[in-house]
């Protein structure tokens, strides 16, 4: 092919030059001075023949979209037989008059140089150009697909409302991924509770009414079997055992005080599971699946307001940890007997976390309140203190562990000092590795995306309505400002894919849909404040459903879809 520079063609053959010069007024790339421009850029030192001049002219028409690949496909068959025909047909000139002059001049040039044109070289050139254009077209399609712009569309599929009630906790999904999932939604009017069983279309299947509020989330045992059991605790001291149709399977277990935290199930799926239930009067009950006590309750000296946790479940020697308001962390066996305890200097109001569970040296991190302040203890399995962390400011929530089970786990804890929220990144010796300070209190639970990868992200929301996105060195990667407090944990859809979506609910009544770099994809305006995290049904399918509840008693069923932005 002829070498080109800045869309200037190079000719030596006078016939080709005259031909192009006569057509220059019809070729917009050259304008009125086309002949002068062509003459200036003609290189005398380059060998030019009628064949190369014709291919150069055809290439010029291709580049300026006067002709296309279909013309070359029409040009090739006669060349394969040694004949040269005009690639522009007469029929085309009737539809496109601009092609008429090109056809006439090309035909005249072919007729005048019939014995000088080389069909074989023209054939080689035509095939090469077609191949090159096909490759370019494939690359364009690939790039277009890669860079295609879409907007995220959120539409309401259905809603469920109970006037005079509010939603106490995020919905629980039973049989997710099946044809008939069931949603458990916990409503309250301030005195009584109602647990509604809903379908994916927002229709009510049934409900269960309690005389006390359902403060904590229900727990489902043996989900996916023919006989699941739903455990529902109330603040009037009853634990209800329900089937999938909201019928009581057994009379409720009655305690002497309210149940404010979710029950915990040990050895689920075995013939002998144990249900742990704590009450506000400081008792820990050990129940079987039929609501019978397996052992006398363990009585503490203070109220228990957080759920117990179990270490080494499934082994011969599991340990139950339960903290109390009077500052004791009890280490118990499944028989209710106390192994040991640890006395903190303040109330333990949240469940401890365990790092390196299953190893010889697990670490238990306990959060306690010392008056208005908060501190952390690092303990071993014998309740001996290994380390202590006491920052300035209030630690109002338990820490989280990141990269648990690795050589370098992190404990991340948030505190507040009247003006700013502080985030501390600690090692197992309670030494600070990194620190982040944000304006306003950090209210939402901490959430980690892509943990264990090279690019994990920590998400947190504040009372000034800001979502912060950090790396594990406490550097801020991005942030997003909403119009109200962010109280609940962000939820991530399609984590681990190229295009995850972060769902953030706010006091301004909006559910925000963000990209990983905190850019807004879309938002959905509800009719009231959103206090709890959304939930997702059928995630990873073509038709996921997003559930979000508001404090006016409405549960919204939302659909997330992509719409191409037309260029």
């Amino acid at each position: 092919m002829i070498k080109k520079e800045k869309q200037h063609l190079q000719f030596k053959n006078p016939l080709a030059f005259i031909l192009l010069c006569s057509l220059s007024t019809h070729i917009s790339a050259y304008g009125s001075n086309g002949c002068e421009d062509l003459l200036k850029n003609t290189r005398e030192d380059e060998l030019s023949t009628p064949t190369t001049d014709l291919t150069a002219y055809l290439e010029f028409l291709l580049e300026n979209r006067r002709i296309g690949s279909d013309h070359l496909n029409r040009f090739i068959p006669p060349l394969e037989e040694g004949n040269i025909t005009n690639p522009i047909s007469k029929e085309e000139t009737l539809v496109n008059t601009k092609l008429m002059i090109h056809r006439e001049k090309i035909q005249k040039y072919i007729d005048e140089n019939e014995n000088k044109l080389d069909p074989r070289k023209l054939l080689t050139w035509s095939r090469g150009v077609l191949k090159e254009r096909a490759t370019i077209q494939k690359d364009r399609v690939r790039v277009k697909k890669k860079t295609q712009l879409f907007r995220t569309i959120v539409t309401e599929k259905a809603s469920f409302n109970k006037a005079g009630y509010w939603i106490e906790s995020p919905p629980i999904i039973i049989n997710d991924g099946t044809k008939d999932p069931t949603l458990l939604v916990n409503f309250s009017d301030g005195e009584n509770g109602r647990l509604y069983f809903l379908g994916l279309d927002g229709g009510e299947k049934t409900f269960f009414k309690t005389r006390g509020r359902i403060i904590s989330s229900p727990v489902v045992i043996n989900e996916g079997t023919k006989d699941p059991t739903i455990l529902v605790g109330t603040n009037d001291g009853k634990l209800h055992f329900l089937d999938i149709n909201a019928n009581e399977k057994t009379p409720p277990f009655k305690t002497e005080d309210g149940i404010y935290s979710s029950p915990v199930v040990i050895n689920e799926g075995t013939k002998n599971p144990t249900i742990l239930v704590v009450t506000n009067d400081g008792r820990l009950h050990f129940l079987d699946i039929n609501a019978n006590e397996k052992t006398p309750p363990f009585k503490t000296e203070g109220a228990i307001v957080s759920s117990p946790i179990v270490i080494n479940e499934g082994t011969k020697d599991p340990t139950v940890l339960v903290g109390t308001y009077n500052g004791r962390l009890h280490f118990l066996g499944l028989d209710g007997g106390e192994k040991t305890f640890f006395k903190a200097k303040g109330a333990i109001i949240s469940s401890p976390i365990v790092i390196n569970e299953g190893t010889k040296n697990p670490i238990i991190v306990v959060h306690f309140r010392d008056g208005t302040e908060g501190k952390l203890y690092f303990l071993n399995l014998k309740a001996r203190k290994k380390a202590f962390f006491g920052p300035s400011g209030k630690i109002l929530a338990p820490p989280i562990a990141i990269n648990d089970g690795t050589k370098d786990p992190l404990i991340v804890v948030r505190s507040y000092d009247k003006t700013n929220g502080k985030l501390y990144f600690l090692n197992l010796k309670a030494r600070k590795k990194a620190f982040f300070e944000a304006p306003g209190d950090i209210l939402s639970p901490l959430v980690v995306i892509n943990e264990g990868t090279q690019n994990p992200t920590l998400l947190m929301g504040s009372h000034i309505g800001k979502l912060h996105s950090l790396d594990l060195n406490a550097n801020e990667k991005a942030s997003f400002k909403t119009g109200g407090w962010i109280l609940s944990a962000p939820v991530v859809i399609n984590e681990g894919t190229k295009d995850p979506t972060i769902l953030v609910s706010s006091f301004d009544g909006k559910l925000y849909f963000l990209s990983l770099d905190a850019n807004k994809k879309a938002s959905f305006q509800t009719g009231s404040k959103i206090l709890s995290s959304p939930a997702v049904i059928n995630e990873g399918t073509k038709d996921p459903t997003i559930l979000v509840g508001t404090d006016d008693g409405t549960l919204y069923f939302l659909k997330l879809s992509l719409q191409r932005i037309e260029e």
Side-chain angles (χ1 to χ4, degrees), residues 63-102:
E63 289 183 353
N64 286 274
R65 299 184 180 180
R66 295 290 189 268
I67 62 175
S69 297
D70 54 333
H71 294 87
L72 294 181
N73 284 321
R74 187 185 301 133
F75 193 42
I76 286 176
L79 292 174
E80 292 175 335
E81 298 179 1
N83 301 318
I84 302 173
T85 59
N86 199 320
I88 302 175
S89 66
K90 291 182 179 180
E91 291 77 13
E92 285 181 284
T93 62
L94 299 177
V95 179
N96 186 353
T97 56
K98 291 182 180 180
L99 288 178
M100 184 180 297
I101 190 170
H102 295 303

Side-chain angles (χ1 to χ4, degrees), residues 3 28 31 40 63 70 141 143 193 213 266 300 303 343 352 377 383 398 403 410 438 445 496 533 563:
K3 182 179 180 181
S28 60
K40 288 178 183 178
E63 289 183 353
D70 54 333
V141 170
V143 171
R213 286 175 59 187
I266 305 176
T300 70
K343 184 67 174 74
Y377 282 116
N403 296 331
L410 282 175
S533 298
Q563 182 184 75

Side-chain angles (χ1 to χ4, degrees), residues 39-52:
L39 185 60
K40 288 178 183 178
N41 289 278
T42 298
R43 291 180 53 180
E44 297 296 337
D45 60 339
E46 185 166 345
L47 181 63
S48 178
T49 67
T51 298
T52 59

Side-chain angles (χ1 to χ4, degrees), residues 19 32 77 86 114 137 195 214 238 260 263 281 295 323 342 387 392 395 504:
L19 172 63
S32 60
N86 199 320
E114 182 177 2
Q137 181 60 25
L195 184 65
I214 307 170
K238 293 185 179 71
Y260 291 90
D281 64 353
T295 184
F342 177 81
S392 61
I395 298 179
V504 182

Side-chain angles (χ1 to χ4, degrees), residues 256-503:
E256 296 182 13
D257 208 333
I259 300 173
Y260 291 90
S261 59
S262 298
V264 172
V265 183
I266 305 176
N267 298 328
E268 182 181 356
T270 68
K271 295 180 180 179
N272 189 28
T274 299
I275 301 165
L276 306 179
V277 183
V278 296
T279 58
N280 199 44
D281 64 353
R283 284 183 169 88
L284 172 60
H285 298 271
F286 297 74
L287 309 180
D288 65 18
I289 196 65
N290 297 311
N292 300 311
E293 287 201 277
K294 302 176 74 171
T295 184
F298 178 79
K299 180 69 173 72
T300 70
E301 296 178 1
I304 304 174
V305 294
S306 61
S307 297
I309 68 167
V310 183
I311 302 178
N312 298 328
E313 181 180 354
T315 68
K316 295 180 180 179
D317 188 28
T319 298
V320 178
L321 303 179
V322 60
T324 65
Y325 208 78
N326 74 339
R328 286 201 176 196
L329 181 68
H330 298 276
F331 293 62
L332 310 175
L334 285 189
D335 59 358
E338 186 172 40
K339 297 180 176 182
T340 186
F341 72 89
F342 177 81
K343 184 67 174 74
K345 294 182 179 180
I348 299 174
I349 59 174
S350 59
S351 301
I353 66 170
V354 182
I355 303 170
N356 295 334
E357 183 179 356
T359 68
K360 294 180 180 179
N361 298 299
I363 297 294
I364 302 160
V365 183
V366 185
H367 162 234
F368 72 93
R369 293 282 299 277
D370 182 8
T372 60
E373 303 296 313
K375 314 291 182 184
L376 296 181
Y377 282 116
F378 291 62
L379 312 177
N380 64 17
L381 201 51
K382 295 181 179 180
R384 292 174 182 168
K385 185 173 71 173
K386 304 286 287 184
F388 172 81
F389 181 71
S392 61
K394 304 174 183 178
I395 298 179
L396 302 178
I400 66 168
I402 303 176
N403 296 331
D404 186 16
T406 68
K407 294 180 180 179
D408 191 26
L410 282 175
I411 295 92
V412 184
V413 63
R414 51 199 164 109
S415 72
Y416 181 62
D417 66 355
K418 297 182 180 180
T419 56
N420 294 327
K422 296 179 179 180
L423 202 63
Y424 297 90
F425 294 70
L426 311 176
N427 63 17
L428 287 186
K429 295 182 179 179
R431 292 174 182 168
K432 184 174 69 175
K433 299 186 67 175
F435 170 78
F436 177 78
E437 188 167 6
D441 194 2
I442 302 168
L443 297 178
S444 77
L446 307 176
V447 173
V448 183
I449 305 176
N450 297 328
E451 183 177 358
T453 69
Q454 294 181 348
N455 190 28
T457 299
L458 179 65
L459 302 175
M460 61 182 183
S462 72
H463 88 278
I464 65 170
K466 205 167 189 179
L467 179 78
H468 299 274
S469 172
L470 311 178
D471 64 21
L472 296 192
N473 293 313
N475 299 309
E476 187 167 43
K477 301 167 75 172
S479 65
F480 179 81
K481 185 74 167 63
T482 72
W485 291 16
I486 302 174
L487 289 180
S488 57
V491 171
V492 183
I493 303 177
N494 299 327
E495 181 179 356
T497 68
K498 294 180 179 179
D499 188 30
T501 298
I502 303 168
L503 309 182

Side-chain angles (χ1 to χ4, degrees), residues 33-180:
N33 295 323
C35 293
E36 292 183 16
D37 289 342
L38 285 169
L39 185 60
K40 288 178 183 178
N41 289 278
T42 298
R43 291 180 53 180
E44 297 296 337
D45 60 339
E46 185 166 345
L47 181 63
S48 178
T49 67
T51 298
T52 59
D53 290 342
L54 179 58
T55 57
Y57 179 54
L58 292 176
E59 185 172 345
F60 187 82
L61 293 181
L62 286 166
E63 289 183 353
N64 286 274
R65 299 184 180 180
R66 295 290 189 268
I67 62 175
S69 297
D70 54 333
H71 294 87
L72 294 181
N73 284 321
R74 187 185 301 133
F75 193 42
I76 286 176
L79 292 174
E80 292 175 335
E81 298 179 1
N83 301 318
I84 302 173
T85 59
N86 199 320
I88 302 175
S89 66
K90 291 182 179 180
E91 291 77 13
E92 285 181 284
T93 62
L94 299 177
V95 179
N96 186 353
T97 56
K98 291 182 180 180
L99 288 178
M100 184 180 297
I101 190 170
H102 295 303
R103 172 179 164 76
E104 290 176 355
K105 295 300 181 180
I106 290 174
Q107 190 60 52
K108 181 179 178 180
Y109 193 68
I110 291 174
D111 293 341
E112 292 177 352
N113 294 276
E114 182 177 2
N115 296 327
K116 298 178 181 179
L117 294 170
D118 188 336
R120 291 179 299 175
K121 291 183 178 180
L122 290 172
L123 178 61
T124 301
W125 172 85
S126 300
R127 287 174 173 170
V129 171
L130 273 180
K131 184 177 180 180
E132 182 179 349
R133 287 172 66 86
T135 301
I136 292 172
Q137 181 60 25
K138 286 181 180 179
D139 289 342
R140 284 175 178 171
V141 170
R142 178 179 56 80
V143 171
K144 186 175 182 181
K145 287 181 178 179
K146 192 173 182 179
T147 60
Q148 217 167 42
L149 298 178
F150 294 88
R151 64 165 57 93
T152 301
I153 304 296
V154 182
T155 54
E156 184 178 339
K157 301 170 71 173
S159 64
F160 180 82
N161 176 265
K162 282 299 170 184
Y165 286 77
W166 66 81
I167 299 174
E168 289 270 20
S169 56
I172 291 176
I173 306 163
I174 303 178
N175 298 329
D176 188 15
T178 67
K179 295 180 180 179
D180 187 30

Side-chain angles (χ1 to χ4, degrees), residues 519-541:
N519 289 317
K520 187 172 81 168
K521 295 182 175 183
S523 65
F524 179 80
Q525 179 70 63
T526 69
S528 189
K529 299 174 183 177
I530 305 175
L531 306 180
S532 60
S533 298
V536 184
I537 305 176
N538 295 330
E539 182 180 356
T541 68

